[in-house]
Amino acid sequence: MNPTYAGGMNTPKTALVIVDVQNDFCPGGSLATDRGDEVARLIGEYQDSHGDRYAHIIATQDWHIDPGSHFSDNPDYVDSWPVHCVAESKGAALHEDVRADRIEAYFRKGEYTAAYSGFEGAADGVSMAEWLKERGVEKLDVVGIATDHCVRATSLDALEEGFEVRVLTDLCSPVDEARGEAALQELVKAGAQLS
C-alpha cells in the first residue's frame, strides 16, 4: 500500500468503503459468492492492520423490505435475484469476520427497489455522498461484494461524485469471475485505480 495514499494529517482524507459483506453473499447464504467468506476474513484482517490509516471506515448493506421485481422465484441473475438481504434478517447482517466495531456509519440501500450502489443508500437519512463530503473525504478505497455488481456500481458512482477511487481487488469477490474482471477493466477506463 502506498502510505502517501491513505488518509492522514498531511494528505487528503481517505475513507475505506466496505461494500455489502453480508451473510447472504457468502457461502451458505441465498446469493453466495465463492470467495465471500475469504474476502470477509481478509477485510477484517485489513481493518486490523490498516484501519488506522483511514479517516473513516464505512459500510454499505443491501437492506430489502419489498424491492419488487428485484426478487424473483425464477431469477435471471442480471436484473432479478433470489430473495436476499431482507431487512433485519441474519442474511442481511454483516459477516462476523468484518470488524463492525470499527465501522462509523452504515449506508443501507434497496428497501423498496433494486439498488446496487452504496450511493443510493443513506445513514440516518443522509446520503453517502453528502456524509463523505461533509467530512472532507476526497479518496475512497473500495472493497467487498460483489465485484461485478455492487462494488462496480459504488465505484462508478464515487467517480461521478468526484472522489478518487481505488479498488483493492484482493478484498473483493465477484459473482462471476469473467464479469468481475470485465468490471475492473471498466472501472480503470472510468478513472479508478486498482491495487
Side-chain angles (χ1 to χ4, degrees):
M1 181 169 181
N2 179 350
T4 63
Y5 188 93
M9 295 301 291
N10 299 317
T11 57
K13 285 188 180 179
T14 303
L16 178 65
V17 181
I18 301 171
V19 176
D20 295 5
V21 185
Q22 296 165 264
N23 290 324
D24 270 348
F25 298 139
C26 297
S30 64
L31 197 51
T33 61
D34 289 343
R35 292 188 60 233
D37 285 343
E38 177 191 0
V39 161
R41 176 181 56 79
L42 292 171
I43 288 171
E45 292 171 358
Y46 184 82
Q47 287 176 272
D48 290 340
S49 61
H50 292 77
D52 292 343
R53 298 185 184 187
Y54 293 97
H56 304 282
I57 299 177
I58 63 175
T60 71
Q61 286 176 285
D62 253 14
W63 201 253
H64 297 309
I65 296 171
D66 182 9
S69 61
H70 185 61
F71 283 174
S72 174
D73 291 333
N74 298 294
D76 63 15
Y77 296 92
V78 177
D79 298 310
S80 61
W81 306 88
V83 173
H84 62 277
C85 296
V86 173
E88 306 295 346
S89 71
K90 182 181 178 188
L94 284 188
H95 191 285
E96 64 183 6
D97 287 342
V98 176
R99 311 297 191 254
D101 60 328
R102 300 192 70 148
I103 295 172
E104 191 173 344
Y106 295 86
F107 294 85
R108 292 175 170 169
K109 57 190 174 65
E111 286 93 335
Y112 298 102
T113 185
Y116 295 93
S117 169
F119 285 89
E120 297 175 78
D124 298 322
V126 179
S127 73
M128 196 159 91
E130 183 180 357
W131 192 95
L132 291 164
K133 289 176 180 179
E134 282 176 353
R135 288 158 179 79
V137 173
E138 297 178 21
K139 300 182 178 184
L140 305 179
D141 278 357
V142 181
V143 302
I145 305 171
T147 314
D148 40 344
H149 294 282
C150 296
V151 169
R152 171 189 171 274
T154 299
S155 298
L156 287 172
D157 280 357
L159 291 164
E160 284 289 321
E161 290 284 351
F163 295 101
E164 187 172 330
V165 175
R166 182 174 66 161
V167 179
L168 307 184
T169 58
D170 288 347
L171 304 183
C172 296
S173 178
V175 171
D176 177 87
E177 289 290 343
R179 285 200 307 263
E181 186 56 39
L184 293 174
Q185 295 313 308
E186 178 186 2
L187 290 172
V188 169
K189 288 178 183 174
Q193 303 170 41
L194 303 183
S195 177

